[in-house]
């Protein structure tokens, strides 16, 4: 079955620390990859997406993600986090083209000032 | 665009009652999706429409659930004979090729 794994349930960092959140999916074929973010009290927002081309994708607010096809991974990174990055982050994968996304369970990021 | 809107934002109901939620997608989006999110989980796909046609339903969508999009614009999700296990956040989204899924704020259902 198609599945998405996010390795960390809760990550706690201090401001200015670097961030890497892991995401792996179950098997290959053609995939489109997404990271969504949910800030406290707000709804899910698209952070970045990969459809094709350069496997290093840049998104909003200084986030980037790298698609490594051989590892079935799409890890999210940010070189220096801010308190305002405190949120829950969801990785999602689309197999096919109908935007039926399979989400991971999410990673809660807490950034301490 | 004005975004995806959902009503109501919160619904508390007693077990066995029927509830209906409404979703208004972004006007130019012809695809509309329903997802469900429970505590500690990511959103799970329930069903989606292209215009008024319901193209796919998840096995999560039991016979008590029905979704409609009668004129290809807004959609409703009805749950009959609610159970405590139906308590969740119900999310609606619409899609565009360049932006992916755009989610609404969700309707939080609590079944007592």
């Amino acid at each position: 079955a198609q599945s998405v794994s996010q390795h960390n349930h809760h990550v706690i960092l201090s401001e200015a620390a670097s961030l890497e959140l892991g995401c792996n999916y179950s098997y290959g074929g053609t995939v489109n990859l997404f990271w969504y973010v949910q800030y406290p009290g707000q709804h899910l927002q698209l952070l970045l997406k990969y459809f094709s081309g350069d496997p290093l994708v840049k998104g909003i607010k200084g986030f980037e993600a790298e698609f490594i096809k051989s590892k079935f991974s799409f890890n999210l990174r940010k070189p220096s986090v801010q308190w305002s990055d405190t949120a829950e982050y969801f990785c999602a994968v689309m197999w096919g083209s109908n935007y039926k996304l399979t989400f991971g369970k999410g990673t809660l990021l807490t950034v301490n000032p | 665009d004005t975004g995806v809107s959902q009503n109501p934002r919160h619904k508390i109901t007693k077990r066995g009652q029927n509830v209906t939620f409404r979703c208004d997608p972004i006007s130019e989006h012809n695809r509309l999706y329903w997802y469900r999110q429970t505590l500690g989980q990511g959103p799970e796909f329930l069903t989606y429409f292209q215009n008024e046609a319901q193209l796919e339903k998840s096995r999560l969508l039991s016979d008590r659930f029905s979704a409609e999009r009668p004129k290809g614009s807004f959609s409703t999700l009805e749950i009959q004979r609610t159970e405590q296990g139906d308590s969740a956040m119900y999310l609606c989204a619409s899609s565009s090729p360049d932006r992916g899924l755009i989610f609404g704020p969700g309707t939080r259902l609590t079944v007592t």
Side-chain angles (χ1 to χ4, degrees), chain B:
Chain B
D1 61 58
T2 56
V4 178
S5 62
Q6 292 187 246
N7 288 288
R9 295 291 303 276
H10 303 274
K11 179 71 177 178
I12 300 174
T13 191
K14 292 185 178 179
R15 186 165 53 94
Q17 297 294 305
N18 299 343
V19 294
T20 300
F21 311 138
R22 175 176 169 131
C23 171
D24 288 88
I26 295 170
S27 57
E28 62 268 26
H29 291 179
N30 60 8
R31 287 187 175 178
L32 182 151
Y33 304 77
W34 286 98
Y35 282 76
R36 182 173 69 186
Q37 186 176 16
T38 53
L39 202 61
Q41 302 292 322
E44 296 172 295
F45 170 80
L46 294 179
T47 188
Y48 90 97
F49 293 83
Q50 179 152 333
N51 300 313
E52 64 273 12
Q54 188 173 17
L55 296 187
E56 189 172 345
K57 293 170 59 174
S58 163
R59 284 174 294 177
L60 293 174
L61 218 61
S62 76
D63 292 345
R64 297 183 297 105
F65 288 71
S66 62
E68 294 183 341
R69 194 182 183 197
K71 296 183 180 179
S73 56
F74 71 92
S75 175
T76 58
L77 178 67
E78 181 183 16
I79 309 174
Q80 296 183 327
R81 305 180 303 282
T82 52
E83 301 173 356
Q84 287 188 320
D86 297 331
S87 295
M89 178 75 86
Y90 290 84
L91 299 170
C92 178
S94 62
S95 70
S96 71
D98 59 331
R99 294 178 63 190
L101 280 187
I102 310 299
F103 283 89
T107 295
R108 182 170 296 284
L109 173 65
T110 302
V111 182
T112 61

Side-chain angles (χ1 to χ4, degrees), chain A residues 40-86:
Chain A
Q42 298 186 26
H43 53 277
L44 280 166
Q45 301 172 39
L46 182 66
L47 201 54
L48 50 79
K49 62 186 185 294
Y50 171 81
F51 286 173
S52 63
D54 188 345
L56 185 61
V57 180
K58 295 194 183 298
I60 60 172
K61 303 187 181 186
F63 286 91
E64 65 179 30
E66 185 176 14
F67 171 45
I68 303 179
K69 190 174 182 179
S70 61
K71 295 185 178 180
F72 304 112
S73 72
F74 190 55
N75 292 354
L76 181 70
R77 299 195 292 249
K78 185 171 184 178
S80 175
V81 295
Q82 300 173 313
W83 175 79
S84 58
D85 293 325
T86 294

Side-chain angles (χ1 to χ4, degrees), chain A:
Chain A
Q2 298 163 339
S3 64
V4 178
S5 298
Q6 292 185 240
H7 312 303
N8 308 102
H9 177 64
H10 189 188
V11 172
I12 302 172
L13 296 173
S14 298
E15 276 193 315
S18 64
L19 170 71
E20 182 161 3
L21 301 182
C23 173
N24 286 87
Y25 56 95
S26 55
Y27 62 85
T30 301
V31 292
N32 295 301
L33 303 158
F34 305 81
W35 276 96
Y36 281 83
V37 60
Q38 189 164 25
Y39 297 103
Q42 298 186 26
H43 53 277
L44 280 166
Q45 301 172 39
L46 182 66
L47 201 54
L48 50 79
K49 62 186 185 294
Y50 171 81
F51 286 173
S52 63
D54 188 345
L56 185 61
V57 180
K58 295 194 183 298
I60 60 172
K61 303 187 181 186
F63 286 91
E64 65 179 30
E66 185 176 14
F67 171 45
I68 303 179
K69 190 174 182 179
S70 61
K71 295 185 178 180
F72 304 112
S73 72
F74 190 55
N75 292 354
L76 181 70
R77 299 195 292 249
K78 185 171 184 178
S80 175
V81 295
Q82 300 173 313
W83 175 79
S84 58
D85 293 325
T86 294
E88 191 156 21
Y89 293 81
F90 293 93
C91 179
V93 179
M94 180 174 77
W95 284 273
S97 60
N98 59 8
Y99 280 101
K100 177 186 163 186
L101 299 186
T102 300
F103 282 82
K105 291 187 176 183
T107 297
L108 179 62
L109 172 65
T110 301
V111 180
N112 294 319

